[in-house]
Amino acid sequence: MSKRIADLDYSIQDRAHKAFDSMNASERLKELGCDSVAISETLRSLPVQMAYYSCSRMPVPDVKRMYAAAGLYDIGEEEAKTVKTKTLYSKHLEGKAIDFVPVKNGKYWWTAPQSVWEVMGEIGEACGFKWGGRWKDFADSPHFEV
């Protein structure tokens, strides 16, 4: 799993830089309490995708084994029961997706209000990405893809 724009497909690296820089320069995000925006994931391996997919679909001990096999962190029981993805296929696997997350007080702000995610979504869309926050069946607010 990578957090580097350089690991994305070359064809989307410029728009990823533009979106990242624009989000971090956004006065609207700062007014909403966002200190900055970080990249939580770019290119993803199939074992990582499989581990994410196992969440909520397998018993917790098996999800923990999937995470360990993929080289991920020791997932907690509640997180292991929470849906992370609905597919074994992801644009992350081909380097055509990036996840941005707001940061507050030096930490990922996963519980940011919807207004923060909406502003990030608008910025990403203006840079040519499709925003996962608009998906009807499974909104994925950090996710941007081509």
Side-chain angles (χ1 to χ4, degrees):
M1 179 176 73
S2 172
K3 297 180 181 191
R4 295 169 14 108
I5 290 175
D7 290 335
L8 290 170
D9 184 278
Y10 185 75
S11 67
I12 72 163
Q13 289 181 19
D14 286 344
R15 75 179 83 183
H17 280 292
K18 183 178 178 186
F20 182 67
D21 293 344
S22 297
M23 287 177 192
N24 277 296
S26 172
E27 289 302 320
R28 288 173 60 203
L29 286 173
K30 288 177 182 32
E31 289 167 5
L32 291 168
C34 181
D35 299 333
S36 63
V37 173
I39 298 168
S40 64
E41 195 166 359
T42 58
L43 184 64
R44 181 184 297 162
S45 69
L46 183 57
V48 168
Q49 185 70 25
M50 292 170 69
Y52 291 167
Y53 186 78
S54 73
C55 290
S56 81
R57 289 179 175 80
M58 299 173 77
V60 170
D62 292 339
V63 173
K64 287 179 169 280
R65 283 194 270 300
M66 293 287 286
Y67 266 62
L72 296 169
Y73 57 92
D74 185 21
I75 188 171
E77 187 167 333
E78 286 308 307
E79 188 180 359
K81 294 177 183 178
T82 303
V83 175
K84 295 242 188 300
T85 182
K86 290 198 168 199
T87 182
L88 280 171
Y89 174 78
S90 170
K91 293 282 189 172
H92 284 286
L93 297 172
E94 56 187 79
K96 293 187 177 178
I98 186 168
D99 289 346
F100 293 112
V101 63
V103 174
K104 185 171 186 170
N105 299 325
K107 296 181 181 178
Y108 286 172
W109 191 18
W110 293 112
T111 59
Q114 185 61 28
S115 56
V116 169
W117 296 106
E118 288 284 339
V119 171
M120 291 172 56
E122 291 169 10
I123 293 169
E125 289 172 333
C127 294
F129 285 102
K130 292 178 185 172
W131 178 43
R134 298 216 189 277
W135 296 343
K136 302 292 184 222
D137 62 331
F138 181 71
D140 187 356
S141 294
H143 185 86
F144 295 82
E145 70 178 32
V146 294

